[in-house]
Amino acid sequence: MMFHPQKNRIILLFFIILSGYTVLFYNLYTIQIKQSSFFTAKGQQQYGVPVTMYPPRALIYDRNNMPLALNKDTLSAFIIPAKLIEPEKIVPFLKMHFPAAMPRLENNPTAHFMFIKRSLSENEIELIKKNQLADIHFLKEPARFYPLESTGPLVGITGADNEGLMGIELFCNELLAGTPTTMLLEKDARSNCFYFKRHMHQKGIDGNPVVLTLESNLQFLAYEEVKKTMQELQSEAGAALIMNPLNGHILAMVSLPDFDPNAPIDDMEKTKNITIADTYEFGSVIKTFLALAALAEKVTDLDEIIDCKNVKTTFINGTRVNNPVAHGQITFSEVIELSNNIGTAQIALRLGPKLYEHYMSCSFGQKTLITLPGEQKGFVNPPALWSKPSPISLSFGYEIRATLLQLCCAFCMIANHGYPIVPVLILKPDQAIKQPTERLYDQETMDKLLSILEKTVTQGGAHRTHIAGYTIRAKTGTANLLDENGNYDPDQNIFTCAAFVEKGNYKRVVVVFIKKANKKHVFASTITVPLAERIIEQMLIHENIIN
Amino acid sequence: MNYKVITGLIVSQILLIFIHIYKHNLFIQHSFNLQKNEKTKEMLLIDLQNLENEWFELQKKSTVKDFAQAHLHMKPTKLSSLKKVTLPL
């Protein structure tokens, strides 16, 4: 056999090339078929950019479709600490103008993203632009704009992430925010703005606008009047509620002190909606419900003569009872009209534990169905916990703590001739609130009570609320506040006036409240009654209820 | 014959490749236009939103009240100064 070295070399070369091709095809097989899904995923990772798009937050409107919360864009400033171009410039700048960002920068010097400040003010934007710092970048972020500042404690605000933090913004957060859309964008390797294809992963849902029962003009008018009174008296707090007793719609809900929802909050206490989040012992205004209980239980009648002993101070059932004015023998109707504590104490003793039952049936001591965050349920001292003076205290509005909204709802029940009312604040989407149809008090009892309250306006403590041509019924209350030692301080008072105005089919309940005044020896008749009168007058003009 | 078939096949392949490239270019062009329009729409919506905000800012009740009282010397209306007039039909 002859040896052909050239042929052998060719065969060897052939096998080398063959093995090379084998390796190549094996690799091709591995990449294209065996590990196809792995490399496809890798490729998609590089070219596919997942994007989450949040729908714009839905708006909040008043009952006339005037917006109470709008959307706006704010600018936030950020840096990339790991890639600072001019660290010698940025560090002194932050130290001087944004010191809060410095500890974060020192703790995370290699971070790939860091906010300097979110929701920059106009001045801050100007300052950053003026300094021309290459490291500071701007980011547009959605935020809220509230055209009616007086609704701050009610409508609430959103946080830096546009999530509801309080009020309606928190209560209806899911509804307003909607759900985000997630998609995968196929981009080039540079991941520029332009994309080739868009793959929808999950289609989001737009937020639903919320329509409140509020009437922004009434809200503003009531707010201005409460604010003015507070400034005159240097009061600590003030509030006003206007409700339609026929359907429970809240038309105005003013709570002061308040805050500017378009500016950073300096005091969290101001964000509280005191009409639902604070409970008070309202004093004589509660005598309305004592009268209601007494008339319903028939323990007295309008014309019964009650001996008020013609003294300012006396002892009833071993309990000291004070009254600012001495009254002699007066009718039960006059006892309530003149707000005589000695007379009401005697009636309370006749009622006994039934007084508690009536207070509870008037919705005190339980949350209203408004279900707003922060609502308090209040407290009515139950008979099991009563001491000897308890029924007497309860008769003139102590040992019973309630929110202004509860008081307003209870007065709505009276204005509605004994039919209770559930307060309604959200008009749309429909909350499917069914107003109770069961009557709590019969017509005879209600007629008697209404006549007392009418006389309170024409002859009694609320006589200043009288407006010619309109039927106004009201009751006032001046109550002492507890001091830090738990004693009632006669110089620290709260003043309340609950009134309802009627003309034909038109009915409105107005409750006003002032906490503390810089004057001594003053009563609700000189503080909250004029305030209620002014609000009612403005309301009647605004709603065209003119003689 | 074979030569003609092979040439025809090659030419048609090249033609199909060009058609495919042209179609892909058209797709990219329209996609780009779509995205450009989307961006314009987004910008216009932001402008609209800003104008709306400015509009409501101008209508702020406190601003209107201050202006009316300071510049137009208007005063709050009293109920007693109003009278409802019913005109005969």
Side-chain angles (χ1 to χ4, degrees), chain A residues 119-226:
Chain A
S119 299
L120 295 166
S121 67
E122 292 290 325
N123 292 342
E124 287 166 336
I125 296 166
E126 276 296 307
L127 178 77
I128 293 170
K129 282 182 178 170
K130 201 174 152 189
N131 279 275
Q132 293 179 331
L133 296 160
D135 289 310
I136 299 186
H137 311 278
F138 289 108
L139 181 71
K140 262 188 189 174
E141 289 193 293
R144 288 293 231 190
F145 169 64
Y146 303 93
L148 191 65
E149 289 108 335
S150 63
T151 57
L154 172 64
V155 172
I157 52 165
T158 54
D161 292 320
N162 218 18
E163 292 279 311
L165 291 185
M166 58 183 84
I168 296 292
E169 291 276 25
L170 173 66
F171 184 58
C172 300
N173 188 45
E174 281 182 22
L175 201 67
L176 292 164
T179 54
T181 299
T182 51
M183 57 178 99
L184 192 78
L185 301 183
E186 270 186 30
K187 293 193 170 188
D188 62 7
R190 289 185 179 181
S191 283
N192 283 326
C193 301
F194 179 69
Y195 60 83
F196 300 108
K197 272 185 185 175
R198 189 165 62 180
H199 304 283
M200 189 73 75
H201 277 190
Q202 193 183 2
K203 187 148 174 51
I205 304 164
D206 281 350
N208 265 320
V210 171
V211 181
L212 301 184
T213 57
L214 282 194
E215 216 281 85
S216 56
N217 289 313
L218 273 185
Q219 173 79 14
F220 176 71
L221 292 169
Y223 174 82
E224 288 284 299
E225 293 299 343
V226 175

Side-chain angles (χ1 to χ4, degrees), chain A residues 53 56 59 65-67 70-73 140 143 145-149 193-198 216-217 220 224 260 262 467-468 470 534 536-538 540-541 544-547, chain B residues 24 27-35 38-39 42-43 46 49-50 52-63 65-66 69 76-85:
Chain A
M53 286 172 73
L59 307 188
N65 285 326
M66 283 297 286
L70 292 154
N71 289 321
K72 67 168 185 180
D73 283 324
K140 262 188 189 174
F145 169 64
Y146 303 93
L148 191 65
E149 289 108 335
C193 301
F194 179 69
Y195 60 83
F196 300 108
K197 272 185 185 175
R198 189 165 62 180
S216 56
N217 289 313
F220 176 71
E224 288 284 299
D260 182 356
N262 298 312
I467 299 175
Y470 304 88
R534 288 201 304 273
I536 290 171
E537 196 169 315
Q538 294 295 314
L540 292 172
I541 294 169
N544 292 325
I545 313 298
I546 302 163
N547 270 330
Chain B
H24 194 67
F27 172 77
I28 289 172
Q29 192 187 339
H30 286 119
S31 177
F32 182 79
N33 278 335
L34 175 80
Q35 287 170 58
E38 275 175 358
K39 279 257 177 241
E42 207 175 288
M43 294 301 291
I46 289 170
Q49 184 183 293
N50 291 340
E52 266 179 5
N53 289 356
E54 271 177 44
W55 167 242
F56 287 111
E57 176 98 48
L58 287 169
Q59 284 189 82
K60 253 187 187 177
K61 294 179 203 319
S62 50
T63 320
K65 187 193 164 190
D66 291 345
Q69 290 185 346
T77 319
K78 287 265 170 203
L79 195 60
S80 53
S81 59
L82 294 174
K83 189 79 184 164
K84 191 175 179 180
V85 178

